[in-house]
Amino acid sequence: MASAVQYGRRRGSSRRAEEASRMIEPPDLRQVTVLTKAEWLRIQDELNRVNKDKETMREAAKQREALHLKSEEVVKRWSNTIAGQRQKKLEAKKIREEIEEEKRKQIDKEEAEYREQKRKEAIEKAKTQLYYQTDRVKGLHRALLLTDVLKEREAQTELRQRIKSASKDVDKGFLDIVKTREDEALRQEQEKALQKKLERQAVAEDLKKQMKENELVRELQKIENKKDGEENQRLKELYQWEQRMEEERQAKEKRNLMQAHLEHLTNRDLIKATDAQKQEAEEEQRKLFLSAKQKMMKLRKDREKELFREAQVRRERIMNRLTVTQQEQTVSEEQRIARAVAEQDAKQAQQQWEEEERRAVMLKSITAHREFMRQEKEQRDKIAEQNARDALQAKKEADRIFSEKQQLKAQKIKEDGRKLQDFNATQMAEKSARHQRLRREEHEFEEKNAELIAEEENQFQQYSRHVINAAAEAQRNVFPLCKAAREGIGGGFGPVHSGVRPSYLVQDRTGAQMPKYVSDATQNIKKLHEAVDIQEAKRRLGFTW
């Protein structure tokens, strides 16, 4: 092994190299265990935590389910099994139910068609009845009834004429038979009158009995009323007695109250007299107290004057003594005054020096205060100027914002005005379109109404012609029917306008309908005065150029 010294150090062998060499070494066969494949799979299953029994059971369940499905698939096609027979019965039942359902559907369809036919018949019948309930049809039916009445009247008149002509040729036997019948009828009438008379007599007897019973009931009622009146009188007297007792009690209470009031007034006068005596006594005491007080004040004033006089004498005495003492002490007083003046001068000099010192200090502090106040004022001026500039800037900004807002407001007002103008134009257009649509719808309605009126008029004319033809074939008077079948709705005498025949009433309280004078002469006069064709009018007047 060559020495391994590089870069001044010995290389040697490292720990990692030793470990690598140990890992590369072949294993020791005496320490190796050889496992079978089953054992290896078992170890792998245990490591992977696989439950072999559950897997086996799951696989067996899957195989059984598949086998069951396969057997059901094979068995369901067999017809000789219970399930097959049941399936066949179910299929037959299903086919039978389908056939019954088809029959029911067919029956329902026929029933629906029958009901539809009945409904149409009922609608047609209702329409016919409603049509018969209209005024014109009822007027036509009334005219038809009038024709029947006229026909019946004519038949009765003819029958009366025949009877009158036949009565002249009747024989005596017929008269005897008629007389016999009249006698028999008279006898029967007399028997009926007698029977009615007997019945009336029986009824009269019953009424008399009822009147007697009613009279008895009225007597009993009178007795009861009399008893009730006596009871009421007794109760009234009892009530009046109680009222009198109550009035006496109230009068007694009033007397007692009056007596108590008088006693109260008497006691009040006594109390007033006693109070007056007390007040007089108190007034006397007050006067005595005032006189005593005035006497005491007078004595007090006299005492004060005497004390003042004694004090004045004592003061004069003291002043005299002080004058004598002062004269004795005049010399010593001058010495004391000189010494006091010197002390006072020194003291004043000291105070003046202290005053000058304080003044200097005060001037210095005043100067410093002035400087401080000047600086503070400059600072305040700067702040005020800055505030003024800020306020001016804020005012300019506010003016700018206000002008922008005013511009936006004006623009908004302009846009609102334009929108309002557009809205008004739209509303006017919609209104015009709606008005045109309404006019168009009204025109269409009028056209449809005119068509409907024309159709109803045509239907009514056909029906009236049928009725008039039937009446004419029956040899009846058709004038009322012709009058009722005139053109136009309404029963007036006016001209037909838009399918309506109006009524014109007089302007008074009667409200009667004005008559219609229509004849050939009036129609000719109308043609003469109405210029329907201007060319015809010109030719009639002689204007031929």
Side-chain angles (χ1 to χ4, degrees):
M1 176 181 284
S3 63
V5 178
Q6 296 179 358
Y7 303 108
R9 294 184 62 187
R10 185 170 58 86
R11 184 175 62 182
S13 61
S14 63
R15 184 177 296 175
R16 290 181 179 178
E18 292 177 357
E19 290 178 356
S21 62
R22 281 200 300 271
M23 290 174 64
I24 295 170
E25 291 177 357
D28 191 1
L29 296 176
R30 289 173 297 180
Q31 296 179 359
V32 173
T33 303
V34 179
L35 299 174
T36 62
K37 184 177 181 181
E39 190 70 19
W40 173 255
L41 292 175
R42 185 184 63 76
I43 293 170
Q44 289 294 328
D45 291 338
E46 288 180 357
L47 290 175
N48 295 328
R49 296 180 180 179
V50 177
N51 193 341
K52 198 71 174 179
D53 295 334
K54 288 184 179 181
E55 288 291 333
T56 305
M57 291 172 65
R58 192 179 296 114
E59 290 294 332
K62 287 181 179 180
Q63 290 178 3
R64 286 196 301 272
E65 184 68 24
L67 186 60
H68 179 68
L69 293 175
K70 187 176 180 181
S71 62
E72 285 183 351
E73 187 69 23
V74 172
V75 167
K76 73 179 182 179
R77 294 186 178 88
W78 294 350
S79 60
N80 56 354
T81 60
I82 296 174
Q85 292 177 359
R86 187 184 297 116
Q87 185 68 25
K88 188 182 292 183
K89 289 179 181 179
L90 290 174
E91 290 177 356
K93 183 180 179 182
K94 185 176 180 182
I95 293 169
R96 188 170 59 255
E97 288 178 353
E98 289 178 356
I99 294 171
E100 291 177 355
E101 184 67 23
E102 290 294 332
K103 290 181 180 180
R104 282 196 296 270
K105 286 182 179 179
Q106 186 66 26
I107 293 170
D108 293 338
K109 186 176 180 181
E110 293 176 357
E111 184 70 21
E113 291 177 355
Y114 176 73
R115 288 181 180 179
E116 183 68 21
Q117 184 179 359
K118 287 293 183 182
R119 188 175 68 83
K120 288 181 180 179
E121 291 177 358
I123 291 171
E124 290 297 331
K125 184 178 179 181
K127 286 181 178 180
T128 305
Q129 290 178 356
L130 290 173
Y131 180 70
Y132 288 161
Q133 292 297 321
T134 57
D135 294 336
R136 297 190 71 188
V137 176
K138 287 198 288 187
L140 185 63
H141 289 172
R142 284 195 296 270
L144 181 61
L145 182 61
L146 179 59
T147 57
D148 294 337
V149 171
L150 292 174
K151 182 68 175 177
E152 186 66 25
R153 185 180 298 172
E154 289 176 358
Q156 289 177 2
T157 304
E158 185 179 357
L159 179 61
R160 193 179 297 113
Q161 291 294 332
R162 288 180 181 179
I163 291 171
K164 189 175 181 181
S165 61
S167 62
K168 295 178 182 179
D169 301 330
V170 70
D171 54 356
K172 189 177 179 179
F174 181 73
L175 291 175
D176 293 336
I177 293 171
V178 171
K179 188 176 179 180
T180 304
R181 289 181 179 178
E182 287 179 356
D183 293 337
E184 184 68 22
L186 182 61
R187 187 181 60 77
Q188 290 178 1
E189 288 292 333
Q190 289 176 356
E191 289 179 357
K192 289 181 180 179
L194 181 61
Q195 183 70 23
K196 288 182 180 180
K197 185 177 180 181
L198 293 174
E199 290 177 357
R200 283 197 298 271
Q201 288 177 357
V203 171
E205 291 295 330
D206 293 336
L207 288 174
K208 286 180 181 179
K209 289 181 181 179
Q210 290 180 4
M211 289 174 67
K212 289 180 180 180
E213 291 177 358
N214 292 331
E215 188 68 25
L216 181 61
V217 170
R218 279 196 296 271
E219 291 294 332
L220 294 174
Q221 189 69 27
K222 285 181 181 180
I223 294 169
E224 292 292 332
N225 292 333
K226 188 175 180 180
K227 290 182 179 179
D228 291 338
E230 292 176 355
E231 183 68 20
N232 291 331
Q233 185 67 26
R234 187 181 64 78
L235 293 174
K236 185 178 179 181
E237 291 176 355
L238 180 61
Y239 175 73
Q240 290 177 355
W241 179 76
E242 290 178 354
Q243 289 291 109
R244 286 197 299 273
M245 294 297 293
E246 183 66 21
E247 290 176 356
E248 291 177 359
R249 187 181 62 79
Q250 290 180 0
K252 186 176 180 181
E253 287 181 357
K254 288 182 180 179
R255 286 196 298 273
N256 293 332
L257 288 174
M258 182 60 71
Q259 186 176 1
H261 182 66
L262 293 174
E263 290 177 357
H264 175 70
L265 292 176
T266 306
N267 294 331
R268 187 178 65 181
D269 294 336
L270 292 174
I271 290 168
K272 284 184 178 180
T274 306
D275 292 339
Q277 290 178 1
K278 286 182 180 179
Q279 287 181 0
E280 290 177 358
E282 288 178 358
E283 187 67 22
E284 290 294 332
Q285 290 180 3
R286 187 175 63 79
K287 288 181 179 179
L288 292 173
F289 178 74
L290 287 174
S291 62
K293 189 175 181 181
Q294 288 177 358
K295 289 179 181 180
M296 289 177 67
M297 289 177 68
K298 187 175 180 182
L299 291 172
R300 186 180 294 170
K301 287 181 179 179
D302 294 339
R303 179 66 177 167
E304 287 178 355
K305 288 180 180 179
E306 187 174 356
L307 290 173
F308 182 73
R309 192 167 48 252
E310 289 179 358
Q312 189 71 22
V313 173
R314 194 180 299 111
R315 192 180 295 107
E316 290 177 355
R317 230 184 259 163
I318 290 170
M319 288 297 293
N320 292 329
R321 288 179 183 176
L322 286 173
T323 303
V324 174
T325 306
Q326 190 174 6
Q327 289 176 358
E328 291 177 356
Q329 293 179 355
T330 304
V331 178
S332 60
E333 184 70 24
E334 290 178 355
Q335 293 177 358
R336 284 197 300 273
I337 289 170
R339 190 169 55 254
V341 167
E343 291 177 357
Q344 186 70 26
D345 292 338
K347 189 175 181 180
Q348 287 180 355
Q350 182 67 26
Q351 288 178 357
Q352 186 176 1
W353 180 78
E354 291 177 356
E355 186 70 25
E356 289 178 356
E357 288 291 331
R358 284 197 301 273
R359 187 180 295 109
V361 173
M362 186 179 295
L363 290 173
K364 188 175 181 181
S365 63
I366 288 170
T367 304
H369 180 68
R370 284 179 178 176
E371 184 66 23
F372 176 73
M373 291 299 292
R374 185 182 61 77
Q375 292 178 359
E376 187 175 359
K377 185 178 179 182
E378 290 178 355
Q379 187 69 23
R380 284 200 304 271
D381 292 339
K382 289 180 180 179
I383 293 170
E385 186 177 358
Q386 183 65 30
N387 291 333
R389 285 197 299 270
D390 294 341
L392 181 61
Q393 186 67 24
K395 188 175 181 181
K396 289 181 179 179
E397 185 67 21
D399 292 339
R400 185 183 62 78
I401 294 170
F402 178 74
S403 62
E404 290 178 356
K405 287 184 177 179
Q406 289 295 324
Q407 291 177 1
L408 292 174
K409 187 176 180 182
Q411 186 177 0
K412 185 178 179 182
I413 291 171
K414 188 175 180 181
E415 290 179 356
D416 292 341
R418 188 170 61 253
K419 288 180 181 178
L420 182 61
Q421 187 176 2
D422 296 339
F423 177 74
N424 290 332
T426 306
Q427 289 292 321
M428 289 176 66
E430 290 179 357
K431 187 176 180 181
S432 178
R434 186 167 59 251
H435 184 63
Q436 291 178 2
R437 186 175 65 254
L438 289 175
R439 289 181 61 184
R440 187 169 58 253
E441 289 177 356
E442 185 177 358
H443 182 65
E444 292 176 356
F445 174 74
E446 290 178 355
E447 290 180 352
K448 289 180 180 179
N449 193 19
E451 292 177 358
L452 183 60
I453 290 172
E455 185 179 355
E456 290 179 355
E457 183 68 25
N458 188 17
Q459 184 180 1
F460 177 74
Q461 292 298 330
Q462 290 178 1
Y463 179 70
S464 63
R465 280 196 298 270
H466 177 70
V467 172
I468 290 169
N469 293 330
E473 290 177 358
Q475 294 181 356
R476 296 179 181 178
N477 190 4
V478 296
F479 177 75
L481 294 173
C482 293
K483 186 178 178 181
R486 289 181 305 174
E487 184 181 359
I489 300 172
F493 294 152
V496 179
H497 178 70
S498 298
V500 179
R501 185 182 295 275
S503 300
Y504 296 97
L505 307 179
V506 296
Q507 295 295 326
D508 57 6
R509 59 185 180 181
T510 61
Q513 187 176 179
M514 296 176 67
K516 177 185 179 185
Y517 300 102
V518 180
S519 62
D520 295 337
T522 57
Q523 293 296 325
N524 292 330
I525 292 171
K526 182 178 179 183
K527 287 181 180 179
L528 288 173
H529 288 85
E530 273 191 359
V532 179
D533 188 1
I534 191 64
Q535 300 298 329
E536 180 65 25
K538 287 179 180 181
R539 284 193 298 271
R540 183 171 52 81
L541 293 173
F543 300 106
T544 57
W545 63 85

